[in-house]
Amino acid sequence: MTDAATKSLPDSSLCDRRIILGVGGGIACYKSADLCSKLVQAGVRVDVCMTEAATKFVTPLTFEALSGNAVRTNLWTQTNPGDTQHIGLTEQADLLLIAPATMHLLCKAAAGLCDDIVSLLVAASACPVMWCPSMNTRMWDNPATQNAVEQLRQRGHHFVGPEDGWLACRNVGKGRMSEVSAIVEAAITLR
């Protein structure tokens, strides 16, 4: 088998897994599209749920094309008759992966608020939850964010990042969403 053919084979450590990708409204959504693609290439079934703000950065059609599945964008539209999506979806999933995880999503989840599809899935999750934060350095350092992260960690949630680097606000600092390869590796190691 050639090297190119070997590289195209799915990563067996993720095959037959099901991951919900919750996409928050931040510029790092472009990385989430790549993340979705890499997970699918690794043999994962990816169900994408997006906040309304996320749809302003990347369209649901992008994620539908990459995942091969319908994308959920609100609380009120059911993709299948009888589908109580906030309960059934997380019961079937191996992981709820939120990328990018904005300050807004983190603080809502810590407070138990769930007024969009992503925060509702977190509140009703029957599977492990992994957050991939992405925001301005001052937002990351904000005591409200740090308190939310600590509360979520105490509830057993997992975190990947954020990293130091170039931010969309044209500053350099902590708040950059981790690279896709690091997120995929974290998803592999979390069982």
Side-chain angles (χ1 to χ4, degrees):
M1 200 178 276
T2 67
D3 285 340
T6 304
K7 288 180 182 177
S8 68
L9 293 174
D11 179 341
S12 61
S13 57
L14 286 175
C15 279
D16 300 323
R17 290 189 73 198
R18 187 170 183 176
I19 294 177
I20 302 166
L21 177 58
V23 183
I27 188 62
C29 284
Y30 77 93
K31 285 186 178 180
S32 300
D34 186 35
L35 175 59
C36 179
S37 178
K38 294 292 191 292
L39 290 170
V40 169
Q41 290 174 49
V44 176
R45 176 187 166 127
V46 180
D47 294 295
V48 179
C49 299
M50 302 175 72
T51 65
E52 182 180 347
T55 67
K56 306 297 182 190
F57 289 96
V58 179
T59 68
L61 182 59
T62 299
F63 287 101
E64 285 180 11
L66 293 171
S67 71
N69 295 310
V71 173
R72 293 163 176 86
T73 58
N74 68 59
L75 303 170
W76 311 111
T77 304
Q78 293 183 324
T79 55
N80 299 314
D83 173 25
T84 311
Q85 57 195 4
H86 62 289
I87 303 296
L89 195 57
T90 66
E91 288 175 344
Q92 299 164 13
D94 298 296
L95 177 65
L96 171 54
L97 175 60
I98 301 143
T102 62
M103 177 185 183
H104 186 73
L105 273 174
L106 288 164
C107 291
K108 277 198 324 187
L113 301 175
C114 45
D115 60 353
D116 63 69
I117 187 65
V118 175
S119 59
L120 183 66
L121 289 169
V122 172
S125 183
C127 63
V129 179
M130 181 180 289
W131 299 85
C132 302
S134 173
M135 63 198 76
N136 170 275
T137 302
R138 288 187 301 276
M139 295 171 77
W140 174 251
D141 290 338
N142 187 301
T145 305
Q146 292 306 306
N147 289 339
V149 169
E150 183 56 32
Q151 287 178 26
L152 294 168
R153 279 193 171 121
Q154 288 176 5
R155 294 177 199 164
H157 294 209
H158 307 272
F159 285 81
V160 179
E163 308 301 332
D164 286 306
W166 177 260
L167 305 173
C169 59
R170 289 156 184 68
N171 291 325
V172 175
K174 193 168 193 94
R176 182 178 176 82
M177 189 169 109
S178 294
E179 294 303 320
V180 168
S181 59
I183 297 168
V184 170
E185 183 61 34
I188 290 169
T189 59
L190 182 66
R191 287 283 180 189

